[in-house]
Structure formats: C-alpha cells, structure tokens
Amino acid sequence: VANIIARVFAELSPALVKAVRPGGTLILGGIIDIKEDLVQEAFAGLGMLPVRRDTREDWRVLVYTKPAADPSG
C-alpha cells in the first residue's frame, strides 16, 4: 500500500511491480484526479491487472493485482 503523488508512482512503477509477489495486490492512493492517467499509463504493460478504482472527491485509489505464476512453467 502506498499513498504518494502520481509522479512518484509513475517513476517507481517498475520497482513497485517488482516488489509485488505473484498473486499479490498493489494499492495506490493519494492520486489527484487530473494525474490518474499518468499513473495508469505508467503501469500499463508492466504485467499488473487493474481490479478496482475508487473515488473520493478529487482523489483516486487504484488497485492492481499481479497474476499468479503459471504453474506450467
């Protein structure tokens, strides 16, 4: 779980994804509405699946999950 500004989420996205174990969840909070696209774009293509998005006034929380490891190899 992290609650920092969108630019930092974008910059740290590869490291954050690496830190999540297969089957794990990453919760990103403290994202102002006008920067939500920046965060979504940063995590696109990194193997995380978006599973939830919550809104409270101008703030967003994005929840991603890392697919479980493929048991076949």
Side-chain angles (χ1 to χ4, degrees):
V1 176
N3 184 355
I4 53 180
I5 62 174
R7 178 186 52 78
V8 175
F9 280 139
E11 291 171 3
L12 295 178
S13 58
L16 290 170
V17 170
K18 186 176 180 180
V20 177
R21 66 174 170 76
T25 300
L26 178 62
I27 303 169
L28 308 174
I31 303 166
I32 190 76
D33 60 353
I34 61 173
K35 297 291 186 174
E36 179 180 359
D37 288 345
L38 173 69
V39 177
Q40 289 177 340
E41 290 169 11
F43 283 86
L46 293 180
M48 299 294 282
L49 303 173
V51 294
R52 188 170 174 174
R53 174 186 175 271
D54 288 326
T55 299
R56 179 176 252 175
E57 297 177 12
D58 295 339
W59 299 98
R60 305 293 181 265
V61 173
L62 301 175
V63 181
Y64 291 91
T65 189
K66 183 182 269 187
D70 182 1
S72 64

